[in-house]
Amino acid sequence: MQFTIRDLLSIPLLSSAKLLSANNIISSQAIESVTVMEIPVEDFIKRNELVLTTAIGCGNNPELFLTYVKDVHSSGAAAMAIAVGGHVHYIPDEVINYCKSVNFPLIELPWEIRFSDILKIILEQLNCWEQQSINKADTLQRELLKLYLDNHPIDEVIKFLSKEFQMDVELKCKEQIENSNSLNEISELISTDQPDIIRYDNGKFLQIVPISPLLNQDPFIILFKSRKLNAKPIPTSILNCIVSILTLWIQKKMTTMISKNKEKNEYIKSLLNGSWTEKEAFINQGKKLGFEVNLPYICVVGFPEKLKEFYILHKKESIQEIEKDFKRTFSEIIENISKKLKKRVIYTYQRDLVIIFLECDFQEANHEVNYFLDLIDTFVEQNHIPSISWGIGENYTGNLTFHLGFKNARTALEIGRSHKGPGTRNTFASTGIYRLLISISNNSMSTELMHSTIGAIATYDKNNGLDLIDTLSSYIYHQGNVSQTARALSLHRQSLLYRLRKIEALTNRSLNDPDDIFLLQFCLKLWSVRFENNESYAIAE
């Protein structure tokens, strides 16, 4: 199919030529053009070009000879044929050894063979080969177009090409090639230039054919493991034909995928809002999109901590790139864990949040969701992603309660993150006291009581640099045990007693009276809700 070095050496005119190196690739190394070249090489040699030379000026200088051959090889030439007997009487061992080491075909020609005769024959062969390739490309294009117009899936097209070329054919994106164990040896050689031939030591070859990047997927056709003896590479004209037709399939597939993803996003949005009307129609629509929404689910909402700072530190330049990398990695984590647990999941991303609905059993919901999050946290740590704060809406575990579960999970996340700190895991039930305090804090009477009880302590702290509020909180937490409180605050016992007397004087309350202790604790919690860490993470409805 393609004119190769083996074809060149089979020409009767070159029966006396000697191949000195790279015998293992002569069946796969294509020759696309031919030229006569002497030193200096500069930029005059084309890729896959056969170089004919007399090596004039190199005969008595092995170092110059070697440099000349290296320049020809580095230019991407297919092979080098040197006429021996005129300007050079032999090819130095250094040159031959170099060509063997880099697997570069080096041919020794008798001086008597005229370059003009070689050029004439090769050009005739190349012209014949080119015409055959054009005819083959035209036939192949018609067959591929018929498959496209008949709406055959792209997998069938790949099988057709594999059968047509008698070799394995795969369609992979750059990321798949880089992550594949079987293809990792070529991942560093991927480029979007002309189709390339990667040779192996055993003489077999593979071809990597880039397709115009679509949505940053960087797809490639990979042709390898030919089932024919002395198989030749596929000509560029035929490869270009394949690429042009496959692009139609990929564009169609990407358009369908975008449309389906948009429909999925709209469907999940209706789940979060509870905006469906006909129950059966909604369930059936979900099945078409791959969602079994009539099963019981529990909702968890996560907030990745310091994600943007983390990715910027790792040389991610834009917010879009940060979000794309995180969503790709985290989606893989969710999918892998759901497969491991054999549980269905429905997940999406909203602003900075991860929203997950995990299929669960009513009786085991809390256990299952915590085990699920334990596995996620393990994968997060392995992928060096910053910690994630979680909110769990366990009060609405059930069928078609997505909007209620989401609302409660979001509330649990916001309150838990605000009052228990980043990186914590909170259920909706565990935030009950804070939800009660938030509602009470909006009452004018409770606000007045809080200020009259705690305000004097806060003012004293501000003016004198003490932290009596923290002292009171720790004293109540340790149930009035002075020794434990002193140790927790790293204070001398007498210093703590001085602070406690000061608190009693400022509040006009006794730390020995249970009712006063209850009132002080209640006002402390109201104070924390109103003034400490009261950061809200609003989510678009």
mmCIF file of all heavy atoms in Angstrom, residues 506-538:
data_model
loop_
_atom_site.group_PDB
_atom_site.id
_atom_site.type_symbol
_atom_site.label_atom_id
_atom_site.label_comp_id
_atom_site.label_asym_id
_atom_site.label_seq_id
_atom_site.Cartn_x
_atom_site.Cartn_y
_atom_site.Cartn_z
ATOM 1 N N LEU A 506 -19.593 40.984 86.754
ATOM 2 C CA LEU A 506 -20.045 41.667 85.532
ATOM 3 C C LEU A 506 -21.460 41.251 85.128
ATOM 4 O O LEU A 506 -22.224 42.049 84.581
ATOM 5 C CB LEU A 506 -19.071 41.377 84.385
ATOM 6 C CG LEU A 506 -17.675 42.011 84.497
ATOM 7 C CD1 LEU A 506 -16.750 41.428 83.448
ATOM 8 C CD2 LEU A 506 -17.767 43.525 84.332
ATOM 9 N N THR A 507 -21.828 39.986 85.394
ATOM 10 C CA THR A 507 -23.142 39.480 84.950
ATOM 11 C C THR A 507 -24.203 39.555 86.043
ATOM 12 O O THR A 507 -25.399 39.389 85.761
ATOM 13 C CB THR A 507 -23.017 38.019 84.490
ATOM 14 O OG1 THR A 507 -22.544 37.221 85.590
ATOM 15 C CG2 THR A 507 -22.060 37.896 83.311
ATOM 16 N N ASN A 508 -23.707 39.764 87.274
ATOM 17 C CA ASN A 508 -24.618 39.747 88.425
ATOM 18 C C ASN A 508 -25.327 38.399 88.526
ATOM 19 O O ASN A 508 -26.502 38.332 88.877
ATOM 20 C CB ASN A 508 -25.640 40.895 88.333
ATOM 21 C CG ASN A 508 -26.301 41.187 89.674
ATOM 22 O OD1 ASN A 508 -25.717 40.918 90.745
ATOM 23 N ND2 ASN A 508 -27.532 41.691 89.638
ATOM 24 N N ARG A 509 -24.586 37.334 88.164
ATOM 25 C CA ARG A 509 -25.106 35.979 88.252
ATOM 26 C C ARG A 509 -24.130 35.125 89.057
ATOM 27 O O ARG A 509 -22.914 35.364 89.046
ATOM 28 C CB ARG A 509 -25.267 35.350 86.860
ATOM 29 C CG ARG A 509 -26.138 36.138 85.907
ATOM 30 C CD ARG A 509 -27.602 36.075 86.303
ATOM 31 N NE ARG A 509 -28.408 36.966 85.461
ATOM 32 C CZ ARG A 509 -29.713 37.124 85.608
ATOM 33 N NH1 ARG A 509 -30.362 36.471 86.562
ATOM 34 N NH2 ARG A 509 -30.382 37.951 84.822
ATOM 35 N N SER A 510 -24.681 34.106 89.735
ATOM 36 C CA SER A 510 -23.849 33.226 90.558
ATOM 37 C C SER A 510 -23.528 31.951 89.784
ATOM 38 O O SER A 510 -24.425 31.310 89.215
ATOM 39 C CB SER A 510 -24.580 32.864 91.855
ATOM 40 O OG SER A 510 -23.859 31.869 92.559
ATOM 41 N N LEU A 511 -22.251 31.569 89.794
ATOM 42 C CA LEU A 511 -21.833 30.342 89.127
ATOM 43 C C LEU A 511 -22.134 29.105 89.973
ATOM 44 O O LEU A 511 -21.789 27.985 89.575
ATOM 45 C CB LEU A 511 -20.337 30.403 88.791
ATOM 46 C CG LEU A 511 -19.941 31.474 87.765
ATOM 47 C CD1 LEU A 511 -18.431 31.483 87.554
ATOM 48 C CD2 LEU A 511 -20.651 31.223 86.439
ATOM 49 N N ASN A 512 -22.750 29.311 91.127
ATOM 50 C CA ASN A 512 -23.182 28.191 91.960
ATOM 51 C C ASN A 512 -24.693 27.943 91.852
ATOM 52 O O ASN A 512 -25.203 26.994 92.431
ATOM 53 C CB ASN A 512 -22.812 28.439 93.432
ATOM 54 C CG ASN A 512 -21.305 28.466 93.632
ATOM 55 O OD1 ASN A 512 -20.592 27.637 93.071
ATOM 56 N ND2 ASN A 512 -20.817 29.429 94.431
ATOM 57 N N ASP A 513 -25.376 28.842 91.147
ATOM 58 C CA ASP A 513 -26.819 28.730 90.990
ATOM 59 C C ASP A 513 -27.139 28.040 89.660
ATOM 60 O O ASP A 513 -26.787 28.542 88.587
ATOM 61 C CB ASP A 513 -27.454 30.127 91.023
ATOM 62 C CG ASP A 513 -28.975 30.068 91.032
ATOM 63 O OD1 ASP A 513 -29.540 29.189 90.360
ATOM 64 O OD2 ASP A 513 -29.588 30.921 91.690
ATOM 65 N N PRO A 514 -27.810 26.865 89.676
ATOM 66 C CA PRO A 514 -28.115 26.136 88.432
ATOM 67 C C PRO A 514 -28.915 26.966 87.443
ATOM 68 O O PRO A 514 -28.680 26.873 86.231
ATOM 69 C CB PRO A 514 -28.927 24.935 88.935
ATOM 70 C CG PRO A 514 -28.507 24.744 90.352
ATOM 71 C CD PRO A 514 -28.246 26.126 90.884
ATOM 72 N N ASP A 515 -29.862 27.766 87.908
ATOM 73 C CA ASP A 515 -30.652 28.585 86.985
ATOM 74 C C ASP A 515 -29.783 29.637 86.311
ATOM 75 O O ASP A 515 -29.917 29.897 85.104
ATOM 76 C CB ASP A 515 -31.804 29.268 87.741
ATOM 77 C CG ASP A 515 -32.886 28.281 88.151
ATOM 78 O OD1 ASP A 515 -32.934 27.188 87.543
ATOM 79 O OD2 ASP A 515 -33.659 28.601 89.076
ATOM 80 N N ASP A 516 -28.872 30.259 87.100
ATOM 81 C CA ASP A 516 -27.966 31.252 86.512
ATOM 82 C C ASP A 516 -27.009 30.595 85.508
ATOM 83 O O ASP A 516 -26.709 31.165 84.453
ATOM 84 C CB ASP A 516 -27.168 31.948 87.609
ATOM 85 C CG ASP A 516 -28.025 32.957 88.385
ATOM 86 O OD1 ASP A 516 -29.142 33.263 87.905
ATOM 87 O OD2 ASP A 516 -27.581 33.422 89.446
ATOM 88 N N ILE A 517 -26.536 29.389 85.850
ATOM 89 C CA ILE A 517 -25.652 28.649 84.928
ATOM 90 C C ILE A 517 -26.382 28.350 83.624
ATOM 91 O O ILE A 517 -25.832 28.518 82.509
ATOM 92 C CB ILE A 517 -25.167 27.330 85.576
ATOM 93 C CG1 ILE A 517 -24.137 27.630 86.665
ATOM 94 C CG2 ILE A 517 -24.556 26.399 84.520
ATOM 95 C CD1 ILE A 517 -22.788 28.083 86.153
ATOM 96 N N PHE A 518 -27.641 27.919 83.708
ATOM 97 C CA PHE A 518 -28.418 27.622 82.498
ATOM 98 C C PHE A 518 -28.580 28.878 81.645
ATOM 99 O O PHE A 518 -28.431 28.834 80.422
ATOM 100 C CB PHE A 518 -29.796 27.073 82.887
ATOM 101 C CG PHE A 518 -30.729 26.917 81.718
ATOM 102 C CD1 PHE A 518 -30.602 25.832 80.846
ATOM 103 C CD2 PHE A 518 -31.712 27.868 81.460
ATOM 104 C CE1 PHE A 518 -31.448 25.702 79.761
ATOM 105 C CE2 PHE A 518 -32.552 27.742 80.369
ATOM 106 C CZ PHE A 518 -32.423 26.656 79.520
ATOM 107 N N LEU A 519 -28.903 30.010 82.309
ATOM 108 C CA LEU A 519 -29.102 31.260 81.580
ATOM 109 C C LEU A 519 -27.807 31.699 80.896
ATOM 110 O O LEU A 519 -27.812 32.129 79.734
ATOM 111 C CB LEU A 519 -29.596 32.350 82.530
ATOM 112 C CG LEU A 519 -29.835 33.735 81.899
ATOM 113 C CD1 LEU A 519 -30.933 33.653 80.840
ATOM 114 C CD2 LEU A 519 -30.198 34.760 82.968
ATOM 115 N N LEU A 520 -26.683 31.584 81.611
ATOM 116 C CA LEU A 520 -25.393 31.977 81.026
ATOM 117 C C LEU A 520 -25.043 31.086 79.822
ATOM 118 O O LEU A 520 -24.557 31.573 78.795
ATOM 119 C CB LEU A 520 -24.293 31.887 82.096
ATOM 120 C CG LEU A 520 -24.309 32.961 83.182
ATOM 121 C CD1 LEU A 520 -23.372 32.582 84.322
ATOM 122 C CD2 LEU A 520 -23.937 34.327 82.602
ATOM 123 N N GLN A 521 -25.277 29.782 79.948
ATOM 124 C CA GLN A 521 -24.982 28.868 78.836
ATOM 125 C C GLN A 521 -25.872 29.164 77.633
ATOM 126 O O GLN A 521 -25.412 29.170 76.487
ATOM 127 C CB GLN A 521 -25.185 27.421 79.291
ATOM 128 C CG GLN A 521 -24.790 26.394 78.235
ATOM 129 C CD GLN A 521 -24.939 24.973 78.740
ATOM 130 O OE1 GLN A 521 -25.635 24.718 79.725
ATOM 131 N NE2 GLN A 521 -24.271 24.028 78.073
ATOM 132 N N PHE A 522 -27.168 29.432 77.902
ATOM 133 C CA PHE A 522 -28.099 29.754 76.830
ATOM 134 C C PHE A 522 -27.667 31.032 76.098
ATOM 135 O O PHE A 522 -27.650 31.091 74.859
ATOM 136 C CB PHE A 522 -29.508 29.920 77.421
ATOM 137 C CG PHE A 522 -30.535 30.354 76.412
ATOM 138 C CD1 PHE A 522 -31.006 29.479 75.448
ATOM 139 C CD2 PHE A 522 -31.033 31.662 76.427
ATOM 140 C CE1 PHE A 522 -31.955 29.872 74.521
ATOM 141 C CE2 PHE A 522 -31.971 32.064 75.502
ATOM 142 C CZ PHE A 522 -32.437 31.167 74.547
ATOM 143 N N CYS A 523 -27.284 32.048 76.860
ATOM 144 C CA CYS A 523 -26.860 33.316 76.253
ATOM 145 C C CYS A 523 -25.535 33.170 75.503
ATOM 146 O O CYS A 523 -25.318 33.829 74.479
ATOM 147 C CB CYS A 523 -26.747 34.395 77.342
ATOM 148 S SG CYS A 523 -28.341 34.917 78.003
ATOM 149 N N LEU A 524 -24.649 32.297 75.995
ATOM 150 C CA LEU A 524 -23.387 32.044 75.283
ATOM 151 C C LEU A 524 -23.651 31.439 73.905
ATOM 152 O O LEU A 524 -23.024 31.808 72.913
ATOM 153 C CB LEU A 524 -22.494 31.104 76.094
ATOM 154 C CG LEU A 524 -21.639 31.714 77.206
ATOM 155 C CD1 LEU A 524 -20.960 30.616 78.001
ATOM 156 C CD2 LEU A 524 -20.596 32.681 76.628
ATOM 157 N N LYS A 525 -24.577 30.488 73.849
ATOM 158 C CA LYS A 525 -24.883 29.858 72.560
ATOM 159 C C LYS A 525 -25.544 30.861 71.619
ATOM 160 O O LYS A 525 -25.260 30.869 70.414
ATOM 161 C CB LYS A 525 -25.768 28.631 72.771
ATOM 162 C CG LYS A 525 -25.016 27.447 73.373
ATOM 163 C CD LYS A 525 -25.790 26.169 73.269
ATOM 164 C CE LYS A 525 -24.966 24.985 73.747
ATOM 165 N NZ LYS A 525 -23.809 24.714 72.872
ATOM 166 N N LEU A 526 -26.433 31.706 72.152
ATOM 167 C CA LEU A 526 -27.024 32.748 71.314
ATOM 168 C C LEU A 526 -25.948 33.688 70.784
ATOM 169 O O LEU A 526 -25.967 34.094 69.622
ATOM 170 C CB LEU A 526 -28.056 33.558 72.114
ATOM 171 C CG LEU A 526 -29.459 32.966 72.261
ATOM 172 C CD1 LEU A 526 -30.324 33.901 73.096
ATOM 173 C CD2 LEU A 526 -30.101 32.752 70.898
ATOM 174 N N TRP A 527 -24.999 34.003 71.636
ATOM 175 C CA TRP A 527 -23.897 34.903 71.257
ATOM 176 C C TRP A 527 -23.071 34.285 70.120
ATOM 177 O O TRP A 527 -22.702 34.964 69.162
ATOM 178 C CB TRP A 527 -23.022 35.176 72.476
ATOM 179 C CG TRP A 527 -21.949 36.205 72.240
ATOM 180 C CD1 TRP A 527 -20.699 36.006 71.770
ATOM 181 C CD2 TRP A 527 -22.075 37.612 72.468
ATOM 182 N NE1 TRP A 527 -20.017 37.185 71.678
ATOM 183 C CE2 TRP A 527 -20.849 38.211 72.103
ATOM 184 C CE3 TRP A 527 -23.101 38.419 72.956
ATOM 185 C CZ2 TRP A 527 -20.615 39.576 72.209
ATOM 186 C CZ3 TRP A 527 -22.866 39.788 73.057
ATOM 187 C CH2 TRP A 527 -21.636 40.348 72.677
ATOM 188 N N SER A 528 -22.800 32.986 70.236
ATOM 189 C CA SER A 528 -21.998 32.310 69.196
ATOM 190 C C SER A 528 -22.742 32.281 67.868
ATOM 191 O O SER A 528 -22.149 32.410 66.801
ATOM 192 C CB SER A 528 -21.637 30.895 69.641
ATOM 193 O OG SER A 528 -22.784 30.076 69.668
ATOM 194 N N VAL A 529 -24.066 32.098 67.943
ATOM 195 C CA VAL A 529 -24.856 32.076 66.714
ATOM 196 C C VAL A 529 -24.875 33.455 66.063
ATOM 197 O O VAL A 529 -24.769 33.572 64.829
ATOM 198 C CB VAL A 529 -26.302 31.593 67.009
ATOM 199 C CG1 VAL A 529 -27.212 31.848 65.811
ATOM 200 C CG2 VAL A 529 -26.303 30.124 67.359
ATOM 201 N N ARG A 530 -24.982 34.514 66.860
ATOM 202 C CA ARG A 530 -25.088 35.867 66.300
ATOM 203 C C ARG A 530 -23.752 36.450 65.866
ATOM 204 O O ARG A 530 -23.660 37.142 64.849
ATOM 205 C CB ARG A 530 -25.708 36.823 67.349
ATOM 206 C CG ARG A 530 -27.189 36.690 67.511
ATOM 207 C CD ARG A 530 -27.972 37.127 66.288
ATOM 208 N NE ARG A 530 -27.911 38.543 66.041
ATOM 209 C CZ ARG A 530 -28.752 39.424 66.577
ATOM 210 N NH1 ARG A 530 -29.708 39.016 67.396
ATOM 211 N NH2 ARG A 530 -28.640 40.707 66.299
ATOM 212 N N PHE A 531 -22.674 36.152 66.581
ATOM 213 C CA PHE A 531 -21.436 36.901 66.365
ATOM 214 C C PHE A 531 -20.204 36.061 66.017
ATOM 215 O O PHE A 531 -19.206 36.600 65.560
ATOM 216 C CB PHE A 531 -21.097 37.728 67.615
ATOM 217 C CG PHE A 531 -22.154 38.732 67.949
ATOM 218 C CD1 PHE A 531 -22.957 38.578 69.062
ATOM 219 C CD2 PHE A 531 -22.370 39.831 67.137
ATOM 220 C CE1 PHE A 531 -23.942 39.501 69.365
ATOM 221 C CE2 PHE A 531 -23.346 40.760 67.427
ATOM 222 C CZ PHE A 531 -24.145 40.599 68.553
ATOM 223 N N GLU A 532 -20.225 34.757 66.225
ATOM 224 C CA GLU A 532 -19.022 33.964 65.992
ATOM 225 C C GLU A 532 -19.228 33.029 64.813
ATOM 226 O O GLU A 532 -20.159 32.231 64.800
ATOM 227 C CB GLU A 532 -18.651 33.138 67.234
ATOM 228 C CG GLU A 532 -18.256 34.016 68.417
ATOM 229 C CD GLU A 532 -17.875 33.173 69.629
ATOM 230 O OE1 GLU A 532 -17.743 31.945 69.454
ATOM 231 O OE2 GLU A 532 -17.725 33.727 70.704
ATOM 232 N N ASN A 533 -18.330 33.123 63.825
ATOM 233 C CA ASN A 533 -18.329 32.207 62.676
ATOM 234 C C ASN A 533 -19.673 32.151 61.969
ATOM 235 O O ASN A 533 -20.077 31.121 61.453
ATOM 236 C CB ASN A 533 -17.941 30.782 63.108
ATOM 237 C CG ASN A 533 -16.591 30.737 63.768
ATOM 238 O OD1 ASN A 533 -15.665 31.400 63.327
ATOM 239 N ND2 ASN A 533 -16.483 29.966 64.822
ATOM 240 N N ASN A 534 -20.377 33.281 61.999
ATOM 241 C CA ASN A 534 -21.716 33.279 61.399
ATOM 242 C C ASN A 534 -21.621 33.538 59.906
ATOM 243 O O ASN A 534 -22.098 34.539 59.393
ATOM 244 C CB ASN A 534 -22.578 34.351 62.076
ATOM 245 C CG ASN A 534 -24.054 34.180 61.733
ATOM 246 O OD1 ASN A 534 -24.468 33.096 61.383
ATOM 247 N ND2 ASN A 534 -24.819 35.249 61.849
ATOM 248 N N GLU A 535 -20.956 32.606 59.209
ATOM 249 C CA GLU A 535 -20.716 32.739 57.774
ATOM 250 C C GLU A 535 -21.720 31.892 57.021
ATOM 251 O O GLU A 535 -21.958 30.750 57.348
ATOM 252 C CB GLU A 535 -19.291 32.275 57.434
ATOM 253 C CG GLU A 535 -18.916 32.516 55.998
ATOM 254 C CD GLU A 535 -17.469 32.120 55.733
ATOM 255 O OE1 GLU A 535 -16.801 31.669 56.672
ATOM 256 O OE2 GLU A 535 -17.033 32.252 54.594
ATOM 257 N N SER A 536 -22.359 32.486 56.037
ATOM 258 C CA SER A 536 -23.408 31.784 55.296
ATOM 259 C C SER A 536 -22.909 31.388 53.928
ATOM 260 O O SER A 536 -22.217 32.151 53.273
ATOM 261 C CB SER A 536 -24.640 32.678 55.161
ATOM 262 O OG SER A 536 -25.619 32.059 54.378
ATOM 263 N N TYR A 537 -23.280 30.197 53.478
ATOM 264 C CA TYR A 537 -22.896 29.712 52.153
ATOM 265 C C TYR A 537 -24.168 29.508 51.348
ATOM 266 O O TYR A 537 -24.696 28.409 51.240
ATOM 267 C CB TYR A 537 -22.083 28.428 52.278
ATOM 268 C CG TYR A 537 -20.838 28.640 53.081
ATOM 269 C CD1 TYR A 537 -20.833 28.445 54.444
ATOM 270 C CD2 TYR A 537 -19.690 29.123 52.465
ATOM 271 C CE1 TYR A 537 -19.701 28.694 55.196
ATOM 272 C CE2 TYR A 537 -18.555 29.364 53.198
ATOM 273 C CZ TYR A 537 -18.564 29.145 54.562
ATOM 274 O OH TYR A 537 -17.432 29.399 55.299
ATOM 275 N N ALA A 538 -24.688 30.637 50.859
ATOM 276 C CA ALA A 538 -25.969 30.602 50.163
ATOM 277 C C ALA A 538 -25.849 29.840 48.860
ATOM 278 O O ALA A 538 -24.853 29.912 48.163
ATOM 279 C CB ALA A 538 -26.447 32.021 49.894
#
